[in-house]
Amino acid sequence: MSSSIDSLLAAIAQRIGAAHVLTAPEDMAPYLREERGLYQGKTPAVLRPGSTQEVAFIVQACAAAGIAVVPQGGNTGLVGGQVPFGEVLLSLQRLDRIRQVDPIDMTMTVEAGCILDKLHEAAEAAGCLFPLHIASQGSCRIGGNLASNAGGTAVLRYGNAKDLVLGLEVVLADGRVWNGMKRLRKNNAGYDLKHLFLGTEGTLGIITAAVLKLFPQPAQRATAFLAVPDPAAALALLKRLRGEAGDALTTFELMAAFGVETVLNHMPGTVRPFRDRYDWYVLAEFSAPTRAFDLAALMEESLGTAMEAGEVVDAVIAASQAQAAALWRLREDMSEAQKHEGGSIKHDVSVPVSRVPEFLARALPAVEALLPGLRPCPFGHVGDGNIHFNLSQPVGMDKAAFLAMWEAFNRVVHDIVVEMDGSIAAEHGIGILKREELAHYADAVGLDLMHRLKRALDPAGLLNPGKVIHL
Amino acid sequence: MSSSIDSLLAAIAQRIGAAHVLTAPEDMAPYLREERGLYQGKTPAVLRPGSTQEVAFIVQACAAAGIAVVPQGGNTGLVGGQVPFGEVLLSLQRLDRIRQVDPIDMTMTVEAGCILDKLHEAAEAAGCLFPLHIASQGSCRIGGNLASNAGGTAVLRYGNAKDLVLGLEVVLADGRVWNGMKRLRKNNAGYDLKHLFLGTEGTLGIITAAVLKLFPQPAQRATAFLAVPDPAAALALLKRLRGEAGDALTTFELMAAFGVETVLNHMPGTVRPFRDRYDWYVLAEFSAPTRAFDLAALMEESLGTAMEAGEVVDAVIAASQAQAAALWRLREDMSEAQKHEGGSIKHDVSVPVSRVPEFLARALPAVEALLPGLRPCPFGHVGDGNIHFNLSQPVGMDKAAFLAMWEAFNRVVHDIVVEMDGSIAAEHGIGILKREELAHYADAVGLDLMHRLKRALDPAGLLNPGKVIHL
């Protein structure tokens, strides 16, 4: 550790308290381990400020010393965006106050370090819904969700994380605070600056607080687990259900047989939904803020028509909340269950919704041709055109040898995605994992604009350097 | 006209055709007149390119010659954003093709010059809904709607114009074309660049095409015109109706008595909705994409409870489409009708939804104190917190003398708005009309960020110079 960083850390310790400047390896370890084990972080110190002003102090002090900063929320990111490689790590976890919940404005004002599930609870306590639902919601933090524009299982109805934001507070690269904490539904007073920071993974500024939209709480829910002949039938079903239920259709998830069987094999307490086995499944959930009509009846009638049309071949309808939860586990436990099947090479891609069947029809044989015995596990948010195109290794293959093929699989899968006008990063972001892929595929004008923004907002390149784009 | 501009126009005429380079005053006049008569435009030429490539050619040629460009759509803007003051005028009107309508993806790919109403028709022909509805929809163009982030009467349910955009094609200040025409529901592959151009009024790039979201077409509609005791009751009613109908409540507009009486007095064929006169009215519309429940019954039941609670004192329910149209006229004709009452000083402001009653309670006596006899005409999208706080002149006052008080009224109204954490430009934008107001009220960090963006994307200041911000 150089003396320049020593004196920087001393100044920061004086401001935020020595207890919040972690330098012992065992204290720092939880911030440097990363979910997928793809990266090992390295930092001189983990800083845990307790307020926006302390974040600003740290960023300003680091900028003055020419030291780069990596912001981190719950450390649940899947593309390494939150991993430091020698930079100072700034953890937002202590900024965890819910400043206000307003059920008339239908807004919630929160700090970046709030755990997502706490926001669900706070909204519910006020008779409202905060609809962002992702697998890591018990530990991820809203600042990270916003910086990475998280997606999840309710995007079909409520949009991505950034669609849920009205206002933002951000610490800029030079330590100034931009206060954009408006809770307005309409505001055209100048450029809408919050979009500089939503989804830009901490490379243009550090989100410290946000005003979020709330929604009416569902008064009824209806959940069904369906067997469908193929992805094309799933799409036809999607169109039918949206036509009949409109926005009451809030979840529509597609799963291949391998994934469901993997959950049933490995996750204790999971229950086989059908006596028979099928190739493709759909989890559909309906919800409505009103009791003015019978949602379950509407769902059952729609599904009946869909069965007559051959879009659905078998169906289980949850008769209780417990049954609904059991059906959800078949989808929610999929990433966890896959860990029991050895190495997994993951692609988080999207294509236009109408082209999901075509994507699967092209990508599945292509990856199987690259490695015979491969066990593809495609699943995800088909209503958003977003497929988690995960690939489990062949049985018995060496895990490291399999994972070494990651780039080769990227090329095959991403070539198809890009040819189909899709995205190689649908909801997990770019981080470090996909930076070279982005550089490979992104159009030159778009990349140039990204670089211009980075230079305009962080000319010294001190905010999460090397993430998303090279500077 | 200097020789440099002569040779520029000659080169452009050669590329886009001499017929599309207008220089005769009578040909240019329709492009230089502006709806409210606040500004008289002035330009050496009106250029009418027919394709994105021609737009790019013009912008590149102008940039090379150091000549500034003002883009213009339907010339319906209300803040002078589309008015040239000596710059070349680039009209997007000939880029009016609908490139694709896809009812599976629920998207529509359109060029910037498409008239908004044509998009409504095209969506409807495909069994879908494009929900942007504003007063000028018969002549405004989608490019201008997106550049100004138009609002309108369906924002409550569907969001503002920029919420309806998936992809964008933009000609940059140096004439390069950014192709961001993805029709994806999820895409986190790098910075979301479209937000640089949506709502920035042509100051950072010229929108030439867009991919828009479509929605399921309503299968039923129910419309009611209501008398309410006061704005607080209107808000309580809004909360009740959203709680009971959720997203089926698609319009919720508040009007003061003066505005409704003005419509009834001046607009031929309008019909008085109630025998009695009331101080405040609400137009509420419900719509749903399904026939699975009876929307009219739901509305009537909700309104019945609201009457018992004293939130509604009188109600007319449309029994036919014609009756619904008649009720809508009472709201839609308001701006037009106001022209018959002499000068009108207009404020397009927003506050948090919950604070609309407080805003009206403060602002109404404040403006009446400034000019006794003033006839305020507040109306608008109360569900979005957006009030068109229009002020009709006292009877018999000299119009010019009244309009000369615009800035004095601005100060009174905007001071209250800003104190209440509101916006001085809710849905009409900044343009030239509110540029000094924005500079007066905007926070210094936000203004600095806007300037950084402008310098990063248009360093020579040649795109719509002087609009939104000074450079």
Side-chain angles (χ1 to χ4, degrees):
Chain A
M1 221 182 273
S2 78
S3 77
S4 121
I5 190 126
D6 283 346
S7 62
L8 173 70
L9 294 181
I12 290 170
Q14 191 162 18
R15 174 68 189 257
I16 74 172
H20 302 304
V21 178
L22 313 181
T23 52
E26 63 276 19
D27 294 340
M28 298 198 295
Y31 300 87
L32 301 176
R33 246 178 258 126
E34 163 265 340
E35 165 73 12
R36 289 184 173 170
L38 297 173
Y39 305 101
Q40 176 55 49
K42 183 174 171 295
T43 186
V46 173
L47 309 177
R48 292 170 45 85
S51 67
T52 302
Q53 291 67 34
E54 290 185 1
V55 174
F57 177 87
I58 291 170
V59 173
Q60 191 168 29
C62 288
I67 305 278
V69 176
V70 174
Q72 188 184 85
N75 192 20
T76 58
L78 296 172
V79 291
Q82 77 281 21
V83 180
F85 297 98
E87 303 89 355
V88 159
L89 184 69
L90 193 159
S91 168
L92 278 301
Q93 294 191 0
R94 288 180 61 227
L95 277 76
D96 63 353
R97 282 164 291 254
I98 296 174
R99 294 185 189 166
Q100 190 190 31
V101 182
D102 187 327
I104 303 290
D105 284 329
M106 302 289 277
T107 59
M108 176 160 61
T109 304
V110 307
E111 295 183 351
C114 291
I115 289 179
L116 179 52
D117 257 348
K118 299 277 179 204
L119 302 189
H120 295 148
E121 289 162 20
E124 203 177 321
C128 298
L129 172 78
F130 181 62
L132 181 66
H133 283 283
I134 62 176
S136 59
Q137 59 198 28
S139 52
C140 67
R141 311 259 174 172
I142 188 67
N145 301 146
L146 300 182
S148 63
N149 188 28
T153 51
V155 172
L156 182 69
R157 164 62 187 87
Y158 297 101
N160 295 285
K162 73 176 157 197
D163 300 316
L164 306 175
V165 179
L166 293 176
L168 217 54
E169 179 189 83
V170 177
V171 172
L172 303 177
D174 56 12
R176 288 181 302 165
V177 178
W178 174 61
N179 179 351
M181 293 289 277
K182 296 272 189 197
R183 53 192 171 108
L184 300 174
R185 302 283 164 170
K186 278 188 184 168
N187 181 14
N188 281 344
Y191 303 166
D192 188 357
L193 299 166
K194 63 178 179 287
H195 290 285
L196 291 170
F197 310 106
L198 296 168
T200 57
E201 305 188 25
T203 60
L204 300 181
I206 300 176
I207 295 170
T208 50
V211 182
L212 305 172
K213 293 182 197 170
L214 299 178
F215 293 82
Q217 215 168 28
Q220 29 173 358
R221 254 183 231 280
T223 311
F225 200 85
L226 311 166
V228 298
D230 53 40
L235 262 199
L237 177 64
L238 172 68
K239 183 157 174 60
R240 175 187 302 279
L241 296 182
R242 291 186 102 173
E244 290 180 16
D247 275 331
L249 180 68
T250 40
T251 293
F252 193 87
E253 300 279 311
L254 180 71
M255 290 153 275
F258 173 72
V260 172
E261 293 300 325
T262 301
V263 171
L264 291 168
N265 285 341
H266 298 293
M267 304 307 283
T270 53
V271 182
R272 184 170 291 283
F274 303 111
R275 200 196 48 194
D276 295 325
R277 297 188 181 200
Y278 300 99
D279 289 342
W280 294 95
Y281 301 97
V282 163
L283 175 72
E285 190 163 89
F286 298 71
S287 64
T290 171
R291 290 202 172 279
F293 62 98
D294 183 344
L295 191 60
L298 167 61
M299 178 180 82
E300 284 170 40
E301 201 184 302
S302 303
L303 292 178
T305 332
M307 286 186 102
E308 281 165 32
E311 292 154 9
V312 172
V313 292
D314 211 343
V316 174
I317 289 173
S320 66
Q321 249 187 315
Q323 282 185 19
L327 297 178
W328 266 97
R329 281 199 66 194
L330 298 174
R331 165 65 186 82
E332 284 185 328
D333 287 4
M334 202 159 283
S335 292
E336 195 57 33
Q338 245 202 307
K339 292 181 182 170
H340 296 269
E341 295 290 345
S344 172
I345 291 177
K346 295 165 195 291
H347 302 90
D348 164 43
V349 300
S350 66
V351 291
V353 177
S354 61
R355 301 187 76 179
V356 168
E358 182 191 348
F359 166 72
L360 291 169
R362 288 177 62 179
L364 286 170
V367 293
E368 285 163 348
L370 186 62
L371 182 64
L374 183 78
R375 296 168 301 161
C377 183
F379 67 93
H381 323 295
V382 68
D384 315 318
N386 175 199
I387 298 296
H388 297 303
F389 195 72
N390 289 3
L391 309 173
S392 278
Q393 64 170 74
V395 176
M397 184 176 179
D398 175 64
K399 183 175 172 180
F402 175 68
L403 293 179
M405 296 182 71
W406 199 306
E407 279 186 35
F409 278 108
N410 270 355
R411 196 57 60 243
V412 169
V413 175
H414 290 167
D415 274 358
I416 294 171
V417 165
V418 170
E419 243 184 76
M420 293 180 66
D421 246 339
S423 172
I424 61 164
E427 61 173 13
H428 297 164
I430 295 293
I432 187 82
L433 180 66
K434 294 188 178 173
R435 188 188 61 187
E436 300 313 314
E437 288 296 286
L438 180 67
H440 179 78
Y441 288 111
D443 105 289
V445 177
L447 262 186
D448 174 61
L449 286 173
M450 291 184 219
H451 280 107
R452 282 174 189 240
L453 287 183
K454 178 70 174 169
R455 284 194 302 266
L457 271 80
D458 178 23
L462 297 177
L463 286 184
N464 216 1
K467 308 295 165 53
V468 187
I469 51 172
H470 283 283
L471 190 60
Chain B
M1 224 182 273
S2 78
S3 76
S4 119
I5 189 122
D6 284 345
S7 62
L8 173 71
L9 294 182
I12 291 170
Q14 191 162 17
R15 173 69 189 257
I16 73 172
H20 302 303
V21 177
L22 314 182
T23 51
E26 62 277 18
D27 295 338
M28 299 198 293
Y31 301 87
L32 301 175
R33 244 179 259 125
E34 164 266 338
E35 165 72 11
R36 288 184 173 170
L38 297 174
Y39 305 102
Q40 176 56 47
K42 183 173 171 298
T43 186
V46 173
L47 309 176
R48 291 170 45 86
S51 68
T52 302
Q53 292 66 36
E54 290 185 1
V55 174
F57 177 86
I58 291 171
V59 173
Q60 193 167 29
C62 288
I67 304 276
V69 175
V70 173
Q72 187 185 86
N75 192 19
T76 58
L78 296 173
V79 291
Q82 77 282 19
V83 180
F85 297 99
E87 303 89 354
V88 158
L89 183 70
L90 193 159
S91 167
L92 280 301
Q93 293 191 1
R94 287 180 62 226
L95 278 75
D96 63 352
R97 282 163 292 252
I98 296 174
R99 294 185 188 165
Q100 190 189 31
V101 182
D102 187 327
I104 304 290
D105 284 328
M106 302 288 278
T107 58
M108 177 160 61
T109 304
V110 307
E111 294 182 353
C114 291
I115 289 179
L116 180 51
D117 258 347
K118 300 276 179 203
L119 302 188
H120 296 148
E121 289 162 20
E124 202 176 324
C128 297
L129 173 77
F130 182 62
L132 182 64
H133 282 284
I134 61 176
S136 58
Q137 59 198 29
S139 53
C140 67
R141 312 258 174 174
I142 188 67
N145 301 146
L146 301 182
S148 63
N149 187 29
T153 52
V155 172
L156 182 68
R157 163 63 187 87
Y158 298 100
N160 296 285
K162 72 176 158 196
D163 300 316
L164 306 176
V165 179
L166 293 176
L168 217 54
E169 180 188 82
V170 177
V171 172
L172 304 177
D174 56 11
R176 289 180 301 166
V177 178
W178 173 61
N179 179 350
M181 293 290 277
K182 298 271 190 198
R183 53 192 171 109
L184 301 173
R185 301 283 165 171
K186 278 188 183 168
N187 180 14
N188 281 344
Y191 304 166
D192 189 355
L193 299 167
K194 63 180 179 286
H195 290 285
L196 291 171
F197 310 105
L198 297 168
T200 57
E201 305 188 26
T203 60
L204 300 180
I206 299 177
I207 295 170
T208 50
V211 183
L212 305 172
K213 294 184 198 170
L214 299 178
F215 293 82
Q217 215 167 28
Q220 26 173 1
R221 251 183 234 282
T223 311
F225 200 86
L226 311 166
V228 299
D230 53 41
L235 262 199
L237 176 64
L238 171 68
K239 182 157 176 60
R240 175 186 302 278
L241 297 182
R242 292 185 102 174
E244 290 178 16
D247 275 330
L249 179 67
T250 39
T251 292
F252 193 87
E253 301 279 310
L254 181 70
M255 290 153 274
F258 173 71
V260 172
E261 294 300 327
T262 302
V263 171
L264 291 168
N265 286 340
H266 298 292
M267 305 306 284
T270 52
V271 181
R272 183 172 293 282
F274 303 111
R275 198 197 49 194
D276 296 325
R277 299 189 181 198
Y278 301 99
D279 289 342
W280 294 94
Y281 301 96
V282 164
L283 174 73
E285 189 163 88
F286 298 70
S287 65
T290 172
R291 290 203 171 276
F293 62 97
D294 183 344
L295 192 61
L298 169 60
M299 178 180 82
E300 284 171 39
E301 202 184 303
S302 303
L303 291 178
T305 332
M307 287 186 100
E308 282 165 30
E311 292 154 8
V312 173
V313 292
D314 211 342
V316 175
I317 290 172
S320 66
Q321 249 186 315
Q323 282 185 18
L327 297 178
W328 267 96
R329 282 199 65 194
L330 298 174
R331 164 66 186 82
E332 284 183 328
D333 287 3
M334 202 159 284
S335 292
E336 195 57 33
Q338 245 201 306
K339 292 181 183 170
H340 296 268
E341 294 290 346
S344 172
I345 291 176
K346 295 166 194 288
H347 303 90
D348 165 43
V349 301
S350 67
V351 292
V353 177
S354 62
R355 302 186 76 178
V356 168
E358 182 191 347
F359 165 71
L360 291 169
R362 289 175 62 179
L364 286 170
V367 292
E368 285 164 348
L370 187 61
L371 182 65
L374 184 78
R375 295 167 302 160
C377 183
F379 65 95
H381 323 295
V382 67
D384 316 316
N386 176 197
I387 298 295
H388 297 304
F389 196 71
N390 290 3
L391 308 173
S392 278
Q393 64 171 76
V395 176
M397 185 176 177
D398 175 64
K399 184 175 173 181
F402 175 67
L403 292 179
M405 295 182 72
W406 200 305
E407 279 185 37
F409 279 107
N410 270 355
R411 195 58 60 241
V412 168
V413 174
H414 290 168
D415 274 358
I416 293 171
V417 165
V418 170
E419 242 183 78
M420 292 180 67
D421 245 339
S423 172
I424 62 164
E427 61 173 12
H428 296 164
I430 295 293
I432 187 80
L433 180 65
K434 293 188 180 174
R435 188 186 63 185
E436 300 313 314
E437 287 297 287
L438 180 67
H440 179 78
Y441 288 110
D443 103 290
V445 177
L447 262 186
D448 175 61
L449 286 173
M450 291 184 219
H451 280 107
R452 282 174 188 239
L453 288 183
K454 180 69 175 170
R455 284 194 302 266
L457 271 80
D458 178 22
L462 296 177
L463 287 184
N464 216 1
K467 308 294 165 54
V468 186
I469 50 172
H470 282 284
L471 190 59

